[in-house]
Amino acid sequence: MRTRVLLALDRPLTPGELRKTLKTSYSQLSDVLRLLRIHQLVECLNDEAVVGRLYQRTEAGDSVASELRLRQRVKSAAESEEPEGIEGRLRDPNSSR
């Protein structure tokens, strides 16, 4: 969930917008935003607001989000290749397929 929230914050969003985008509960989202704030990956732009708080990634959050996107692309590329599986790697290279 933390990854999804961090990646969803490409622009400042309210918890309500995040909740709709990620299809999650306010309580779960609130917990995740709190953790991301503690680790200085997101910040609230209008902390004094009771309703309509806007959250965005910090520079550190942008760096982490970039790394996460890169990992997702690498994983996706690896999954799209035709895997031989363990049997293919264990096959005798001298035998015919």
Side-chain angles (χ1 to χ4, degrees):
M1 181 66 177
R2 290 172 288 197
T3 298
R4 292 175 54 214
V5 170
L6 200 57
L7 292 177
L9 285 169
D10 282 337
R11 62 183 176 85
L13 295 171
T14 65
E17 292 167 325
L18 279 168
R19 187 185 65 78
K20 287 177 187 172
T21 300
L22 302 174
K23 296 178 177 43
T24 189
S25 68
Y26 276 116
S27 63
Q28 187 176 17
L29 181 60
S30 178
D31 291 343
V32 169
L33 286 171
R34 184 179 51 77
L35 282 173
L36 293 175
R37 284 182 77 179
I38 288 170
H39 292 284
Q40 299 178 344
L41 298 175
V42 301
E43 62 187 350
C44 182
L45 299 177
N46 55 342
D47 231 357
E48 69 286 344
V50 176
V51 177
R53 288 185 176 165
L54 283 171
Y55 289 88
Q56 73 175 11
R57 286 191 306 250
T58 61
E59 284 186 33
D62 285 339
S63 295
V64 171
S66 293
E67 179 68 24
L68 290 168
R69 282 194 189 97
L70 178 62
R71 288 182 184 191
Q72 285 180 343
R73 284 193 297 268
V74 168
K75 182 180 177 185
S76 178
E79 289 173 351
S80 67
E81 292 178 5
E82 193 153 325
E84 283 189 317
I86 190 75
E87 297 81 16
R89 288 188 297 248
L90 295 176
R91 185 177 297 123
D92 180 355
N94 299 320
S95 69
S96 62
R97 289 186 170 206

